[in-house]
Amino acid sequence: MSLIDSTRLKQAALKARDHAHAPYSHFRVGAALLDDSGAIITGCNVENATYGLTVCAERVAILKAISEGHRKFLAIAVAADSPTLTPPCGACRQILWEFCGDIPVYLVNLRGDEREVQMAELFPSPFDRRQLL
Ligand code: THU
């Protein structure tokens, strides 16, 4: 039996999406990370008038989690309202790989579509600490 309650995680991502600050794109995203103690840490996208300083929901969640002392992550859920489910962008994949490695990523939208994909599938040839050794 999986230790991951993906339903709870997806619901947390959908709820986190409600807090999105997306007045420019109107594209609202929520993310929820599960750590090894069962804690869920959420994030939403936070846009900025400069556009370029916008931070994605996934990075808000992971940076918030790290800054609060969470270190080991089992899964992440990402919720958006796109008919084609929204996977993490390239920058978020790099950051997620650094702290989470090959975890499952649950993608959901508001109409109930879902897909599960592994980080290694999204980010197959990473630059990571192994290159620095
Ligand atoms: N966005 C995320 O928060 N996560 C993703 O995985 C893709 C894009 C945000 C950034 C921006 O606020 C809006 O969606 C449109 O790109």
Side-chain angles (χ1 to χ4, degrees):
M1 193 188 73
S2 170
L3 292 173
I4 300 171
D5 183 347
S6 60
T7 303
R8 185 170 152 246
L9 201 60
K10 287 180 268 193
Q11 278 166 355
L14 284 162
K15 196 164 164 222
R17 182 180 167 277
D18 292 341
H19 298 295
H21 175 73
Y24 308 108
S25 74
H26 305 289
F27 191 77
R28 303 164 71 82
V29 186
L33 271 168
L34 178 69
D35 89 348
D36 61 345
S37 75
I40 290 179
I41 307 92
T42 60
C44 62
N45 54 329
V46 182
E47 297 188 345
N48 186 273
T50 62
Y51 294 10
L53 290 178
T54 290
V55 188
C56 294
E58 297 91 326
R59 264 176 292 160
V60 169
I62 190 78
L63 297 179
K64 193 171 133 190
I66 293 296
S67 71
E68 289 172 356
H70 304 274
R71 282 294 181 274
K72 188 156 173 35
F73 304 97
L74 305 183
I76 186 168
V78 181
D81 193 20
S82 56
T84 53
L85 295 159
T86 298
C89 78
C92 288
R93 293 179 199 198
Q94 180 72 40
I95 300 289
L96 288 170
W97 185 262
E98 176 80 19
F99 295 107
C100 307
D102 188 21
I103 59 169
V105 181
Y106 304 106
L107 308 176
V108 288
N109 64 15
L110 298 194
R111 62 193 80 184
D113 301 322
E114 298 185 354
R115 183 159 78 96
E116 177 181 344
V117 60
Q118 284 292 131
M119 269 301 295
E121 205 181 321
L122 291 174
F123 202 53
S125 300
F127 176 83
D128 61 23
R129 69 186 68 212
R130 289 173 293 190
Q131 278 76 44
L132 299 174
L133 295 177

